[in-house]
Amino acid sequence: MPVRGASLPYATCPYCRTLILRQGLNVEEIGKVAVLPFDVSPIQLGTTIGAEGRKLTVVGRVRWAWDGGSWNEWLALAETGAQFWLAEAAGTFMLTAEWPQLLDRPEVQAFANGGTINTGDAIEVEGRQLFASDVKQVECLGSEGDLPIPTQIGTRMTSVDYRSASGEVLSLQRDERSTTAWFGDSWDLVSLKPGNLRAIEGWTIPGEMR
Amino acid sequence: MTRRLLLFAALCFCLLAAALYAAFNAYSFFSDDEDRPVASGHAGPTHK
Amino acid sequence: MTGGKAITCPACGGTIEVRAAGFSVNLVCQNCGSILDVSRPEVVLIRRHERARTRFAIEIGKRGTLFGQEWEVVGALRRKDQIAIWQEFLLFNPYLGYRWLVAADGEWQFGTPLADRPQGDRNRVFWRSDSFSRLGRDQTFSTTAVAGEFYWRVKAGDTATATLFQSGETFLSREISEGEENWTQLVPVEQSDIEQSFGLDRRRLPKRKAPSGLMQFKAEPGLEQDDLGRMFLLAFAAAILAAIAMAVLAGPSTRTSTMVQVPVGGQIAPIKVGTITVRRPWQFVTVNADTNQFENRWVDLEYNLVDRSSEQSIDAYGLVEHYAGSDSDGPWTEGSHHGDTMFGHVPQGTYDVYVSGSAHGWPVDPLPNDAWGQVETINVWVEAETGTMSWGMWWTLVIALFAWPVTILWWRHRDK
């Protein structure tokens, strides 16, 4: 079984759809992962991202669904091991890095303790004013590759998206174990300077992305 | 040239034609013949 | 052909291709028109329909190149507001995301959804260092027909409110629907480019909804801005033209005048003012009465135009009145020492003009003012004139001419 991110505890076996937890030398079976539905995402495991001088490699994916649709969250690792989520939505991308200092904010703490956030609620991050645009209950539709979180069938979490006028995004994710905060920007695929994109049958990868 | 500008031009033309027809026949909404404005004895200031 | 995936319609059992698999949320079955949820592995029927699909100017699934990039038409919407019906096409490329093609009134626009929101106020917004000014008022539109697939939940009857901002040929459109605000940048595309790239079914191009009543004067998005100046110019030109033509049609002028003395509290029998001639088939005749200064008196005047050949008389009445007094607000005056009377539609002929009348005091006739019983009189200079024009008619025309442009100006002002 290929391991792309040795630092990541969870891996999905591509053959038997088993979710595996690695702890040191121990390997533990956690449960079954649903088969990822077919999609025409241009990202695949092994895709690289070169935006802003970074060198990120996609090592895993979770597909989440809510009552308004479903989307991919790709996990990208820097060479330092830093984790980024690349969220795909309607052809645009949100690239976010973990922002643990936000968890000290009272409103974020209240959310982590089970409180609710309403759309329109404001938060200031890095001098930018962001507003909650989506508050949704999401459910895992499947996963592949290496991941920092378990994704077996039935995994659920609460996801809150904040946006600023200039395109910055903040994502708060709460599952039964913990709450994490992720902050970053909106991108289109070209400006992410991608490499090793997935070849989709019937389509040509635009020149500037090859 | 917008559609409503054309419609407006047509309206202007109709109004002009009507005004000239009235002028030719010396018709006016404001002529005083045949209508006695104030019957004798009913004049006086309307000042309150 | 494409990298899509095939699903089976739970309503009709037909096979449908999902072109933007993984992105599309709702899909309209091309066989039966039912709306399906395709966001999850299991296809869910949202609304069952049993009808032929709606046809659009571009067929779903058509591929074409615009601005050097390849696009596939994956969705189509028919929308309408109070003024127009138009079509919108959702374009998809898995590497580039979504774009729009909007076809309205023979014009095509290419739309790019914006990730960064323009900032500004109600009338002006800034986006990437350009300033855009609002065009027209907010329009509420609804979706009347859908085909293909969409990355959001669609249904016929969805409504949203759109506002357009313009900078040169570029528009920014803000659509607000169920609290969600979306901005799209729109740039013009030639219809011939669309036809070449995607092929067009010209019979399916949106036809302008015939505006009814006031609406056809009210607004045409994108065009209303530049025709108001022309409307004012047109109205102004018509008003000038009318004044000249009315003066010419008033015809040759003849006049006659005299002075009569009317006793206050008494009356005078008809006195001949003079003779005037109406030379055109029909003319106006005006009679002007001017009096000496007086207060709290009124003079009723009766004019008779007696046709010399037929001895028929045309009658009209004039009134000159002037009052003065004072109350808690101070002194006041009312009335004038002048009175105009107009005869309309006077036929060609020679007329003798007679004046008769009476004068009275307010509130009561005055008593004779000296021992000899001398009665107060009012001097009235009467002048009759042919060949005058009716300024009242001209002002009526001016009001009618300027009513529309002024109303539009008011609408626009009210919107701001």
Side-chain angles (χ1 to χ4, degrees):
Chain A
M1 199 179 121
V3 174
R4 295 165 193 84
S7 61
L8 296 167
Y10 296 94
T12 306
C13 168
Y15 310 108
C16 62
R17 314 304 309 166
T18 302
L19 183 68
I20 291 160
L21 172 63
R22 289 186 300 251
Q23 281 174 315
L25 291 173
N26 295 332
V27 172
E28 191 187 331
E29 237 179 71
I30 301 284
K32 284 286 179 189
V33 173
V35 181
L36 274 172
F38 173 83
D39 66 20
V40 290
S41 169
I43 311 291
Q44 62 181 354
L45 299 184
T47 294
T48 58
I49 291 162
E52 292 181 336
R54 284 188 284 231
K55 181 79 181 160
L56 310 181
T57 308
V58 172
V59 299
R61 147 158 75 154
V62 193
R63 192 163 179 94
W64 297 103
W66 59 298
D67 56 15
S70 56
W71 80 101
N72 289 325
E73 294 264 3
W74 298 90
L75 184 76
L77 286 188
E79 279 157 345
T80 60
Q83 297 173 10
F84 294 84
W85 283 111
L86 178 66
E88 245 183 310
T92 62
F93 293 86
M94 271 93 73
L95 184 63
T96 54
E98 190 154 21
W99 222 256
Q101 57 268 44
L102 269 179
L103 298 172
D104 301 334
R105 299 281 187 87
E107 63 264 50
V108 178
Q109 267 179 2
F111 171 71
N113 293 331
T116 53
I117 290 173
N118 298 312
T119 54
D121 288 357
I123 194 167
E124 198 186 296
V125 188
E126 299 292 294
R128 304 278 186 172
Q129 192 82 359
L130 291 94
F131 296 93
S133 58
D134 274 317
V135 181
K136 48 203 182 204
Q137 304 301 316
V138 302
E139 179 194 345
C140 181
L141 280 190
S143 68
E144 62 178 328
D146 299 329
L147 291 165
I149 51 167
T151 53
Q152 70 269 37
I153 292 169
T155 303
R156 286 167 201 282
M157 66 172 189
T158 303
S159 165
V160 180
D161 288 337
Y162 288 80
R163 304 187 67 93
S164 77
S166 44
E168 281 97 350
V169 292
L170 167 69
S171 170
L172 300 180
Q173 304 185 344
R174 179 181 72 197
D175 60 19
E176 62 251 358
R177 300 169 310 133
S178 65
T179 297
T180 51
W182 302 80
F183 179 67
D185 255 317
S186 310
W187 300 80
D188 56 28
L189 189 55
V190 181
S191 43
L192 282 172
K193 298 202 175 67
N196 192 23
L197 286 177
R198 173 178 163 204
I200 300 165
E201 190 198 336
W203 289 95
T204 315
I205 299 178
E208 61 269 42
M209 299 184 196
R210 263 175 288 192
Chain B
M1 203 62 141
T2 60
R3 177 191 166 90
R4 66 171 187 180
L5 187 61
L6 288 171
L7 280 163
F8 181 69
L11 177 81
C12 285
F13 182 79
C14 292
L15 284 170
L16 201 59
L20 297 189
Y21 175 80
F24 181 85
N25 289 288
Y27 287 122
S28 171
F29 304 138
F30 306 96
S31 58
D32 302 295
D33 45 318
E34 308 301 331
D35 57 323
R36 186 168 208 132
V38 180
S40 288
H42 280 92
T46 53
H47 184 86
K48 290 271 157 37
Chain C
M1 183 185 82
T2 65
K5 112 179 154 174
I7 59 160
T8 302
C9 174
C12 69
T15 302
I16 320 163
E17 186 189 357
V18 184
R19 298 166 203 280
F23 294 92
S24 289
V25 172
N26 278 183
L27 181 146
V28 181
C29 174
Q30 66 212 34
N31 306 309
C32 66
S34 296
I35 297 181
L36 315 176
D37 187 321
V38 294
S39 65
R40 293 180 183 233
E42 61 284 0
V43 176
V44 179
L45 175 64
I46 296 177
R47 186 171 302 174
R48 182 186 297 270
H49 288 295
E50 282 166 17
R51 55 164 162 70
R53 64 188 157 140
T54 318
R55 293 199 166 268
F56 288 86
I58 308 177
E59 231 176 277
I60 302 294
K62 279 278 169 80
R63 290 265 186 113
T65 302
L66 276 179
F67 301 107
Q69 309 277 20
E70 188 180 20
W71 299 102
E72 184 167 45
V73 177
V74 297
L77 300 155
R78 183 173 297 156
R79 290 178 156 170
K80 71 161 194 215
D81 61 16
Q82 288 173 295
I83 298 157
I85 296 179
W86 67 95
Q87 291 178 17
E88 295 187 8
F89 298 92
L90 186 61
L91 306 180
F92 177 72
N93 176 318
Y95 299 101
L96 303 170
Y98 288 99
R99 297 292 185 277
W100 289 96
L101 270 182
V102 183
D105 198 19
E107 308 271 331
W108 288 78
Q109 288 176 308
F110 181 75
T112 307
L114 302 185
D116 48 340
R117 222 180 249 184
Q119 295 295 294
D121 57 26
R122 205 172 134 57
N123 294 314
R124 183 166 293 274
V125 294
F126 295 89
W127 180 68
R128 299 191 188 169
S129 75
D130 273 332
S131 161
F132 293 75
S133 47
R134 186 163 62 87
L135 187 65
R137 58 194 310 207
D138 297 350
Q139 290 288 349
T140 298
F141 65 85
S142 57
T143 302
T144 57
V146 290
E149 52 189 89
F150 304 91
Y151 58 86
W152 68 96
R153 298 196 173 282
V154 290
K155 61 174 189 288
D158 280 345
T159 62
T161 301
T163 313
L164 273 182
F165 296 84
Q166 184 184 20
S167 167
E169 285 207 304
T170 305
F171 292 84
L172 297 182
S173 160
R174 179 185 59 200
E175 290 178 13
I176 298 174
S177 167
E178 289 171 5
E180 204 176 300
E181 181 176 328
N182 287 302
W183 287 81
T184 308
Q185 176 216 29
L186 296 162
V187 295
V189 205
E190 290 297 323
Q191 179 159 304
S192 54
D193 292 347
I194 308 283
E195 183 149 39
Q196 216 172 1
S197 302
F198 295 96
L200 271 188
D201 185 348
R202 284 178 171 274
R203 289 166 305 160
R204 308 282 174 197
L205 276 175
K207 290 179 189 67
R208 181 195 291 275
K209 175 184 163 192
S212 56
L214 279 180
M215 290 314 298
Q216 61 190 3
F217 280 98
K218 192 162 179 183
E220 288 180 74
L223 292 172
E224 64 168 10
Q225 205 75 346
D226 52 12
D227 63 358
L228 189 60
R230 292 187 194 180
M231 278 195 193
F232 273 105
L233 217 62
L234 204 63
F236 187 71
I240 298 293
L241 194 67
I244 294 168
M246 285 162 100
V248 170
L249 286 173
S253 174
T254 62
R255 69 182 71 185
T256 182
S257 64
T258 192
M259 197 268 274
V260 294
Q261 288 190 309
V262 185
V264 178
Q267 57 185 40
I268 54 166
I271 294 169
K272 186 174 171 182
V273 176
T275 304
I276 54 169
T277 309
V278 172
R279 296 215 171 90
R280 286 178 38 78
W282 310 98
Q283 275 185 303
F284 287 111
V285 173
T286 49
V287 183
N288 306 318
D290 287 284
T291 66
N292 59 332
Q293 296 295 312
F294 60 75
E295 292 305 344
N296 297 331
R297 307 278 181 268
W298 81 85
V299 186
D300 280 319
L301 295 163
E302 181 177 340
Y303 307 112
N304 314 105
L305 302 187
V306 180
D307 187 340
R308 284 227 175 134
S309 55
S310 68
E311 306 231 316
Q312 291 283 316
S313 169
I314 309 170
D315 307 326
Y317 304 91
L319 176 66
V320 180
E321 53 184 340
H322 198 270
Y323 310 98
S326 79
D327 61 15
S328 55
D329 294 332
W332 54 267
T333 62
E334 190 182 309
S336 153
H337 293 101
H338 177 88
D340 280 348
T341 300
M342 175 171 262
F343 291 80
H345 201 54
V346 181
Q348 199 164 26
T350 302
Y351 294 88
D352 290 324
V353 184
Y354 292 90
V355 60
S356 57
S358 59
H360 295 280
W362 176 81
V364 291
D365 285 336
L367 293 167
N369 61 354
D370 62 31
W372 291 276
Q374 191 175 351
V375 172
E376 179 191 339
T377 58
I378 291 173
N379 297 341
V380 185
W381 287 268
V382 178
E383 182 185 60
E385 186 180 5
T386 62
T388 54
M389 70 174 263
S390 172
W391 285 102
M393 287 298 276
W394 186 76
W395 281 111
T396 306
L397 176 71
V398 167
I399 290 166
L401 285 171
F402 281 91
W404 279 125
V406 166
T407 307
I408 292 167
L409 197 67
W410 177 76
W411 267 325
R412 205 169 282 177
H413 181 76
R414 187 191 56 176
D415 288 345
K416 286 190 175 157

